[in-house]
Amino acid sequence: MISPVKIWRRQKEIRRILGKKGQVITWTKILAAGAEFKIQAPYPVVLVQLDDGQKVFGQLVDYHQKDLKIGLKVISTLRKVRTGTREDIIVYGVKFKPIK
Amino acid sequence: MVSVAGYYTTQFGELWEKSFSDLVKEALFGLLKSVQKIDKNEIDAIFFSNMLGGVLENNLHTPSKISELLGVNIPIFRIEAACASGGAAFHLAKKYIESGSAKTVIVLGAEKMTDYSPEETTSALISAASGEEQEAGLTFPGLYAMLANFYLQKYHYKEENLAYIAVKNHFHGSLNKKAHFRKRITVKNVLESPYIAFPLKVLDSSPISDGAAAVLLTSDNNILKKLTNKIEILASEVATDSISLARRKDLDSILATKIAAEKAFKTAALAPKEINVAELHDCFSIAEILAMEDLGFWEKGTGGKNILELPTMLGNSGDLVVNTSGGLKASGHPVGATGVKQIGEIYLQLTNQAEERQVKKAHYGLAHNVGGSGGTAVVTILGI
């Protein structure tokens, strides 16, 4: 079961890093995922240095193959991260999309 | 001075017929039998290394279960530091003897992983990463893939440069009867294997394995007098670092390895060039390249080029042979057992018991065990 309390605690952190611009430091594309993310695979994950200096992980969304590179400029956005059973709450979190 | 005076390992691999307890029992009794001149009543304590028993198998309070299996009532402790559990257990066992609390101790490591689906095991393993990394959908191959991608771009190498590590370690694995994989592979095989986390492929990666290993540590002169095959622990150092790659200063090196290595070489009063044989933590091909550089064997950034000549492969011209057991890559990676097996392999090499894969005139050996993506590192130096 996804713990609503854990999600509630985390949401307070996520709010601070939404809508922020940054640059991809390194990336990978996950093809063999864990149980909770298997349904989404394959998906790219990027490590981003935000313009304010902090570094944040997130999946890359709304991308083309050519976007998968170190140095790509991105912006953080709120997206669905994972779902559990029908009774569970839906987990939202930070993902990144390329700046067009 | 504390000595390593015995070693036993089970077969590593997909051992469907063997349970967690079977593996633990085989390693313990196998060790006692191989040392022969020692009775179980001479063992003062056991340090048990295991990562996933609680997560995958609902199996905790293992010390008491080991007490039952062996029929002893001595202190037994379980140590967990992800994939560095074995090295950490060894470190603590040595300190326990040095403190005067015991004279003779077994370090035992075991893991049962193949009863579960790959995604269940992948999820269990990522418990050793930060919450933020987990929520991004990262896996352990994914974290090392990020390090690999950074390294390849920074130093202008190709995926092919990494593949040579796997070729070398599979060659060594082919010479080790206890290894999970005994098949030799080519660079082409590695490059044609499917990606699991770009740029890392199946054949860049260590497998999910079952297995158990045990070493005997003692400072008891009465026991040491009776034994011919023994080596000395010259140094065992542990260092830690931020769990998240996002909190690390550099992505082309593992700081915990550098710190532990620096301390270990200082304690042992040796230089990297004096090491003849090493077991390095090659959970992924990139990890052995980074380790060679961070331990001081190669200059930073040169690993991708140096490995093309395979200088660290048995029978080649180099002064240092690396991962004669096959490494995590070919010998297999039953997480809790890995760090113990590394020390055991160095023991076999330094006591001339490594059979087909014996390195000639090996006097000093090093074992390097890493937890997570570098959150813990243990460097052990052994000598005769």
Side-chain angles (χ1 to χ4, degrees):
Chain A
M1 193 194 112
I2 294 169
S3 160
V5 180
K6 283 187 183 175
I7 301 306
W8 176 77
R9 280 199 296 261
R10 190 166 158 70
Q11 299 282 340
K12 292 187 285 190
E13 294 296 311
I14 289 167
R15 196 167 294 153
R16 295 187 300 107
I17 45 175
L18 287 178
K20 299 226 171 161
K21 291 178 182 168
Q23 208 169 351
V24 171
I25 305 172
T26 187
W27 63 276
T28 181
K29 190 180 205 175
I30 304 289
L31 290 100
E36 287 178 311
F37 291 91
K38 195 184 173 187
I39 195 170
Q40 301 170 27
Y43 52 87
V45 182
V46 290
L47 176 57
V48 173
Q49 178 141 32
L50 299 178
D51 291 347
D52 65 11
Q54 61 179 321
K55 291 183 215 161
V56 182
F57 283 105
Q59 289 183 23
L60 187 70
V61 295
D62 301 346
Y63 71 99
H64 296 287
Q65 192 61 31
K66 66 173 171 54
D67 294 326
L68 293 175
K69 61 180 188 217
I70 292 172
L72 177 76
K73 298 243 189 314
V74 293
I75 184 164
S76 59
T77 178
L78 187 73
R79 290 290 173 102
K80 185 164 78 179
V81 169
R82 59 191 164 96
T83 52
T85 65
R86 287 166 59 184
E87 299 282 313
D88 281 330
I89 62 163
I90 297 166
V91 182
Y92 283 82
V94 174
K95 293 192 182 181
F96 290 92
K97 54 185 183 181
I99 297 173
K100 302 288 178 198
Chain B
M1 188 70 87
V2 183
S3 299
V4 178
Y7 169 56
Y8 180 87
T9 180
T10 68
Q11 181 69 44
F12 280 11
E14 214 165 322
L15 310 174
W16 288 342
E17 72 286 4
K18 294 217 165 111
S19 71
F20 184 74
S21 298
D22 292 337
L23 293 167
V24 165
K25 203 171 165 180
E26 184 189 331
L28 278 174
F29 286 98
L31 176 69
L32 290 174
K33 197 177 163 200
S34 76
V35 180
Q36 278 185 352
K37 288 166 188 156
I38 189 162
D39 184 79
K40 71 177 183 188
N41 297 319
E42 291 178 274
I43 307 299
D44 300 317
I46 297 173
F47 284 71
F48 175 57
S49 151
N50 171 256
M51 177 189 177
L52 296 171
V55 182
L56 283 177
E57 297 230 295
N58 198 32
N59 191 352
L60 286 172
H61 201 193
T62 32
S64 159
K65 292 166 188 167
I66 293 168
S67 155
E68 184 174 307
L69 282 173
L70 192 59
V72 291
N73 300 96
I74 54 177
I76 304 177
F77 307 99
R78 172 175 172 266
I79 288 89
E80 190 277 312
C83 305
S85 301
F90 180 86
H91 175 84
L92 289 171
K94 173 181 171 274
K95 293 282 181 197
Y96 195 69
I97 292 174
E98 285 170 348
S99 76
S101 302
K103 281 187 170 175
T104 303
V105 171
I106 288 177
V107 181
L108 168 72
E111 207 77 51
K112 180 73 196 173
M113 304 175 80
T114 66
D115 281 354
Y116 307 91
S117 68
E119 54 270 21
E120 281 174 306
T121 314
T122 302
S123 294
L125 286 167
I126 201 66
S127 64
S130 73
E132 192 197 345
E133 289 164 335
Q134 292 182 32
E135 281 297 277
L138 277 164
T139 57
F140 261 101
L143 286 165
Y144 275 93
M146 285 187 142
L147 295 174
N149 214 358
F150 186 86
Y151 183 89
L152 295 183
Q153 167 130 347
K154 181 166 180 180
Y155 298 106
H156 311 292
Y157 294 125
K158 297 198 166 84
E159 289 168 49
E160 185 181 340
N161 295 73
L162 302 177
Y164 283 81
I165 293 285
V167 170
K168 169 180 72 71
N169 291 347
H170 267 257
F171 171 73
H172 291 158
S174 76
L175 306 173
N176 178 5
K177 293 187 190 84
K178 298 285 181 75
H180 190 156
F181 296 128
R182 305 202 57 205
K183 190 181 164 191
R184 293 179 191 182
I185 57 170
T186 62
V187 168
K188 189 164 174 273
N189 293 148
V190 180
L191 294 177
E192 286 175 354
S193 66
Y195 286 107
I196 51 169
F198 180 88
L200 297 179
K201 294 164 283 294
V202 169
L203 288 178
D204 284 297
S205 315
S206 57
I208 287 163
S209 317
D210 304 326
V215 290
L216 183 77
L217 269 62
T218 187
S219 64
D220 188 333
N221 285 329
N222 293 327
I223 292 177
L224 285 168
K225 263 191 294 188
K226 292 188 280 183
L227 302 173
T228 41
N229 293 320
K230 57 207 169 190
I231 59 171
E232 285 182 355
I233 305 168
L234 304 178
S236 164
E237 298 291 344
V238 180
T240 54
D241 192 12
S242 300
I243 187 157
S244 175
L245 293 184
R247 307 285 168 268
R248 306 262 180 91
K249 192 166 148 274
D250 298 313
L251 290 179
D252 62 348
S253 77
I254 301 294
L255 181 64
T257 295
K258 284 167 91 167
I259 295 171
E262 220 165 89
K263 285 170 78 178
F265 280 117
K266 199 175 166 196
T267 308
L270 287 172
K273 65 176 187 319
E274 293 176 87
I275 302 293
N276 312 112
V277 59
E279 286 287 302
L280 305 190
H281 200 91
D282 61 325
C283 47
F284 301 95
S285 51
I286 181 66
E288 186 172 317
I289 302 254
L290 295 179
M292 286 297 289
E293 298 176 354
D294 294 335
L295 290 163
F297 294 126
W298 287 342
E299 290 285 316
K300 182 51 64 189
T302 63
K305 172 168 59 77
N306 293 346
I307 193 61
L308 298 177
E309 302 289 324
L310 292 170
T312 50
M313 188 158 96
L314 193 68
N316 287 359
S317 58
D319 300 326
L320 167 70
V321 185
V322 174
N323 281 330
T324 53
S325 71
L328 282 61
K329 173 69 204 80
S331 183
H333 186 23
V335 175
T338 285
V340 182
K341 178 222 71 182
Q342 291 180 320
I343 300 212
E345 178 69 14
I346 299 296
Y347 169 79
L348 294 180
Q349 287 290 350
L350 299 189
T351 54
N352 272 306
Q353 300 180 82
E355 300 175 338
E356 276 184 89
R357 59 190 195 283
Q358 182 65 50
V359 175
K360 284 183 191 140
K361 293 183 188 160
H363 296 290
Y364 296 113
L366 179 146
H368 163 252
N369 195 198
V370 175
S373 54
T376 302
V378 187
V379 174
T380 308
I381 300 179
L382 302 141
I384 43 171

